[in-house]
Amino acid sequence: MSGKAGSNQMWGGRFAAGPAAIMREINASIPFDKALWRQDIAASQAHVAMLGAQGIVSPDDAAAIAAGLAHVATEYAAHGVPENWDLEDIHMTTESRLAELIGPVAGRLHTARSRNDQVATDFRLWVRDCLDQTDAALAALQAALVMRADEHAATIMPGFTHLQTAQPVTLGHHLLAYYEMFRRDRSRVADARARLNECPLGAAALAGTGFPIDRAATAAALGFDRPTANSLDSVSDRDFALDFLMAAAQIALHVSRLAEELIIWASQPFGFVVLPDSLSTGSSIMPQKKNPDAAELVRGHAGRIIGSLTALMITMKGLPLAYSKDMQDDKPPVFEAAGLLSLSLAAMTGMVAEARFRTDRMRGAAELGYATATDLADWLVRQADIPFREAHHITGAAVRLAESRGVALDQIALADLQAIDPRIQPGVYAALSVEASVAARTSYGGTAPDQVRQRVAEARAALGLEAE
């Protein structure tokens, strides 16, 4: 076998040109970083405007470049970004097309910048847009939760610990728990955006530039608060991407918990909710089935989003300053997580808004689960002056009696209750209904319907929703 044939065999079938073909494919990022084209055009427009204002390029050249970039943007919007792997990335693709349109003057665009600060700027702009979209999607989901919480402020359901019936709560209260989770998530998004909002453009390859650029001007033109303060950090930092992924992972955890509850509630043994047909599927063999596929996929997407965070953290963990080619792999996990998160939030908003809650099943489950046992113990403490541990023991005996008869606590005859402990008086029944139980939980943030309605009013005000 000749050396050449052996070499081609070693490099493998489809890489007929050997290492050159492999390098071309592993080096090209245009298949995914073309998603940055809007940000790349915007950053280039800000850069050339600054070059012109500083006299680094002539006014005529600056105008020609700006017009050419606008033309390229029109082409991309109409036909998409072409994928020429020899041009490697969105930056070279745009510059090449610009040169075709306006000639050699296009080369002046890259004065006083590098692809290192260029991609850092483009990526920050993209992530910033994504954070804004995520915040809007979270607000929409919060609004759906608040609307349904208002509707069900007094709807009784069992509250669970360990997925065992614990105490009665209201469905409105339960839904507002997720409102609070997403409120915290929105604060994480806002924090990530605030930290991100510094502009790396002008850091050049890693050391800055000797041209008399105005970094404050480009930062302001692109909506950043200020330029980044260290050129090495500017081109090597991907904390902003990790911040987004950390926030996305936390949001995904919360959305997944809500999805899991809807899946459980939609199952026949629970029967608490009927999910919308538009977000469910049937079975290929069992005609009676209605599968909560959208909720299950939301739950599944959480794993992939968390995986994206892990992937980028591992990519970044051992990189020396400043830029390394490993960092080309920063965008796929962010793009994937952003797409999955957007779908998950939209699906969950639809499910919350359109779900039909079976309030009769919820109330019945609260009654049968002896959820008012704590209320009996509390009554014994307050009205009979019995120490709580003793009251807990008395209540346990009452629950065992109710279980043996298959009835709720408030359906046990007074004589039977007094046989357990003679200090129990007729007034106990006022505390044993599920309505009385939830109404008694009037502490701030409690499940009492009046408390739920107050929290709904506060949430409406925070979201800018008009009260009905």
Side-chain angles (χ1 to χ4, degrees), residues 444-464:
Y444 182 86
T447 193
D450 286 347
Q451 278 292 315
V452 173
R453 293 186 182 100
Q454 289 180 40
R455 301 293 81 74
V456 164
E458 292 167 0
R460 282 183 177 277
L463 295 172

Side-chain angles (χ1 to χ4, degrees), residues 380-391:
L380 290 168
V381 171
R382 286 195 305 264
Q383 302 299 322
D385 196 27
I386 297 173
F388 183 82
R389 288 302 175 195
E390 184 181 352

